[in-house]
Amino acid sequence: MTQPASRTTEPPRSRFRPFNLETIGAGLVFARSVDDLATALTAGAAASAPGTSATEPLQGGTAVVQAPPGTGKTTLVPPLVANLAAGTAAGRQPRIVVTQPRRVAARSAARRLAFLDGSKLGGRVGYTVRGERQAGAQTLVEFATPGILLRRLLSDPGLEGTDAVILDEVHERGLETDLLLGMLGEVRQLRAELTLVAMSATLDAPRFAALIGAHDGDGPAPVVDCSSALHPLEVRWAPAAGPRLDERGVARGFLDHIASTAAAAHAEALAGDPAVDALVFVPGAWEVQQVAALIRDKVRNAGGRTGATEASIRNTEVLELHGQADAATQDRAVSGREPGGAARVIVSTSLAESSLTVPGVRLVIDSGLSREPRRDAARGMSGLVTVSASRASAEQRAGRAARQGPGMVLRCYDQKTFGAAPAHPTPEIAVADLTAAALVLACWGAPGGEGLQLPDPPPAAAMADALRTLHDLGAIDDDGRATGLGRTLSRVPADPRLGRALLDGAAVAGPQGAADVVALVAGDQRAPGADLARLLASLRSAGRGDPAARRWREEARRLAEIARQEGTAVVPSRSGVPVGTAETAGHIVALAFPERVARRVTGGAGQTYLLASGTRAGLPAGSSLAGHEWLAVAEVSRAQGRDAAGTGAVIRAAAPLEEDTAEAAAGTLLSDRVEARFDAGRVAARRERRLGAIVLSSTPVKASAAEGREAVARALEFGGLGIIGWSEQAEALRSRLALLHRELGEPWPDVAEPALLARLSDWLSPELEALAGGKPAAAVNLVEPLRRLLPWPDAARFDDLAPERLQVPSGSRVRIDYPAPDGAGRPVVAVKLQECFGWADTPRLVDGRVPVLFHLLSPAGRPLAVTDDLASFWSGPYAQVRAEMRGRYPKHPWPEDPWTAPATARTKNRM
């Protein structure tokens, strides 16, 4: 479909030079959908102003674009919206902001559009990412990461001067993009002329359309579809012989399998078409580096092909694409081959999954793994974990091979694993730490997300934890509203805890010293052996050519400047102590994460540490931190195996510090109090000085009466009355009372455990005071306390209603076994059969309501019969019992007529 002239004709009253959509969209599949999107965005204007048409200037429309990766939506939609917005820019150039979830994607998209527009990057088309900006006053289309736009919204809630916002890759469900969807919805309530477009690569557009809403607020936003640009795609399955994951993470054997599969498949593809490049997906930066190194080794040793093919294989360039790579390395990986250049294998994280198109790729090798954030609230841990990639992600990865021609994907797992994978990635808001998001929401005026329309609400528990953390930092007040400090922290491009550490630490270590550590912790470099101080020293000593060191220095320089600008308005929240250079890293980390200050556990398996939060974690084997008594932990994650030392967690990044520094940095966790416990049947107390869960000192002391009462109360709450113990007499009395309550109700007391615990003051106060004062539980008998519950004057009939013993015809007084207090059984009398001769009427208790159940015993005490009808027993079953027992027990009477025989407890010779 050709583009309407109105899309490329300059409005006569503006100096705006429109983008030439025909040139930009040449060869792009989405060019067929440009008119549909233009109509959808201008339909609101036509509806609200009769007589206008879809070719009129943009009037604050909304739309959702649903198009697979590679169709060209990221390239075509921004200039189209800019052309439409030019008519409403009020005499100025239009301004369109496009978010990309990753920095490399923002740079790449801006570079691509500027090239197609024939303009200089940073002019009509530019980008802004953390620490880097190529955009100015003349920029019409600005690509930015979601975090940049969030901070811009907080400083300029109306986004004045911005005509449209395009949120790309909303299907990835990144936390910051989700927040932008909600916040921009509120901006549009005040600025109806602001255009909002969301773009998704998967089939979930209707939910985003409902969230954004139509221009007039009536119904969902229009959805503009674009068919797939895929060429034929061959899917092959190449599962490894061993597991993909082991106790240490991604199995080394699986990484070798990926590398072997990739090298062999690419060599085979090159034999058929020397122009084929390969894209390999692995979950994280470390795996990228490992697999890339393995592929390079296999490529160098390639052989057995024809001369030209072997040379092509040996010259293959293996590139790495991940978040830790510097901008030049990332840009080179996504730029495609130079004319006549060598074949390429790009090993990437999910960066290349949907927000980037890598030219030349016709072969994809997929590990089927991805890295997603997870939060362990119980243990105070959060971080990235390796999980099976969703089926949607797998399809997008595979599609990268068929954008420019027929392609092939090799999945290094089987079809069963693919079928068991989740349908879509888990929304980040559901699993991530929400501290930074909660601060954004507080500064926006929506504490905890209250009243904000988000794709999914934040989990209540995670949000409560985040708000608690912000309150402890002083970033929000008791109502959840942002304080002045909170607004300051929102301007620091780091986690609020690291932001506070930057400002507080600058007073001790200086702005640059604090910034060096914060940039290190906020970055994504991996500390060797978890030793942050060692990594810091390595970066400081690295040459200018080291890309990781260069990126760290730039970030540290930015943060230091922020600390100088903002620090004057902040009073340090934690008192400083002189800190040596060797402790700087540990001190700053402890300021940020006081609950992660850790002390070595003596006698534990391996190198085990107890964090102030109560979590235990191990150190990686061979870590240079081993032996340090105190550590400040920046990162801890769930793990198994040797490194975890049986704790279920391992320290990933930490720095050493001394005890006094730990106490100063984590001073809010210090406590000095008497801890009384009811242990081994009596109250014992110790004065304990603690740093969170870490006991600094413990001395035996005598508990006060109040402390003793609290200890006994806690013990009763968790252990019940069993901590005192029921004597046989007390248990028997309780059972008798329970039967009366069951049969007669009030005023007879309920003596079930919950009922007794609920009214301790009515019956157990003197004994509780004695226990609180140090009396051992073994010296307390609950018989007398229970008698305090007897109702008067009804208590006078207690022994008649539920007697302790029952007199049988032989004259013996036999104990009655009453059912347990929580049971529904019957009172039982176990007595020798001979003692009941002649007894016809079965006795009944509780004013005749409850018949006694007799267990008639042999001379040896073994049950012969169970009955509550003695008359029937004597008249019937007794004859059979007599026939069986008289030969076995000849010394005991077994009369033919039990009705007239004397009842006796004796043998024949003693009668």
Side-chain angles (χ1 to χ4, degrees), residues 775-796:
K775 184 175 182 177
V780 175
N781 193 326
L782 294 178
V783 170
E784 286 306 314
L786 277 176
R787 288 192 173 276
R788 296 182 191 128
L789 292 174
L790 288 171
W792 296 97
D794 302 78

Side-chain angles (χ1 to χ4, degrees), residues 226-241:
C226 177
S227 59
S228 171
L230 285 180
H231 294 274
L233 176 68
E234 179 184 359
V235 179
R236 293 185 185 177
W237 305 90

Side-chain angles (χ1 to χ4, degrees), residues 574-664:
R574 284 153 275 202
S575 58
V577 296
V579 176
T581 303
E583 282 192 274
T584 299
H587 182 239
I588 302 301
V589 171
L591 285 173
F593 307 107
E595 74 283 359
R596 297 185 200 161
V597 168
R599 187 181 191 180
R600 188 161 57 92
V601 177
T602 56
Q607 290 291 327
T608 304
Y609 285 79
L610 173 64
L611 279 64
S613 64
T615 293
R616 289 177 182 260
L619 268 179
S623 172
S624 53
L625 295 172
H628 283 283
E629 184 70 13
W630 289 87
L631 297 176
V633 178
E635 181 183 354
V636 58
S637 62
R638 290 181 294 182
Q640 299 298 327
R642 181 178 61 173
D643 290 351
T647 64
V650 66
I651 294 169
R652 302 294 186 189
L657 73 169
E658 297 298 325
E659 181 174 348
D660 56 351
T661 306
E663 292 184 19

Side-chain angles (χ1 to χ4, degrees), residues 844-856:
R844 305 175 75 89
L845 308 180
V846 194
D847 282 340
R849 287 178 171 83
V850 182
V852 173
L853 186 65
F854 280 89
H855 288 194
L856 299 176

Side-chain angles (χ1 to χ4, degrees), residues 386-410:
T386 304
V387 298
S388 289
S390 69
R391 296 196 299 276
S393 294
E395 295 294 351
Q396 290 186 61
R397 293 177 181 185
R400 288 303 182 189
R403 297 292 175 226
Q404 299 171 307
M408 181 174 67
V409 58
L410 281 98

Side-chain angles (χ1 to χ4, degrees), residues 44-224:
S48 58
T52 62
S53 69
T55 62
E56 290 298 315
L58 193 63
Q59 296 288 337
T62 62
V64 174
V65 173
Q66 181 174 278
T71 52
K73 62 182 181 299
T74 303
T75 301
L76 266 174
V77 172
L80 166 67
V81 174
N83 285 357
L84 293 173
T88 57
R92 57 171 175 78
Q93 300 274 40
R95 185 75 172 212
I96 314 300
V97 177
V98 188
T99 64
Q100 288 291 328
R102 300 169 182 87
R103 285 174 282 177
V104 61
R107 289 194 303 266
S108 178
R111 186 178 293 107
R112 170 80 174 157
L113 181 56
F115 170 77
L116 293 174
D117 182 53
S119 60
K120 181 181 178 181
L121 182 64
R124 283 161 54 88
V125 181
Y127 68 86
T128 302
V129 298
R130 189 175 70 185
E132 188 179 358
R133 177 176 171 82
Q134 288 205 33
Q138 296 305 308
T139 299
L140 309 177
V141 175
E142 178 189 13
F143 291 87
T145 52
I148 295 292
L149 184 54
L150 276 177
R151 282 190 287 277
R152 196 172 290 176
L153 267 173
L154 294 183
S155 62
D156 177 16
L159 282 183
E160 301 299 334
T162 298
D163 298 284
V165 174
I166 302 171
L167 301 178
D168 203 356
E169 313 297 350
V170 294
H171 64 276
E172 292 190 6
R173 298 304 311 278
L175 177 55
E176 291 179 327
T177 301
D178 276 6
L179 294 180
L180 284 172
L181 280 165
M183 293 164 67
L184 289 169
E186 292 194 346
V187 174
R188 292 194 71 254
Q189 293 177 14
L190 301 176
R191 282 193 59 204
E193 75 277 10
L194 178 69
T195 294
L196 179 58
V197 178
M199 301 201 292
S200 172
T202 59
L203 301 177
D204 53 1
R207 70 175 307 186
F208 295 111
L211 183 69
I212 293 173
H215 170 73
D216 58 4
D218 184 17
V223 175
V224 177

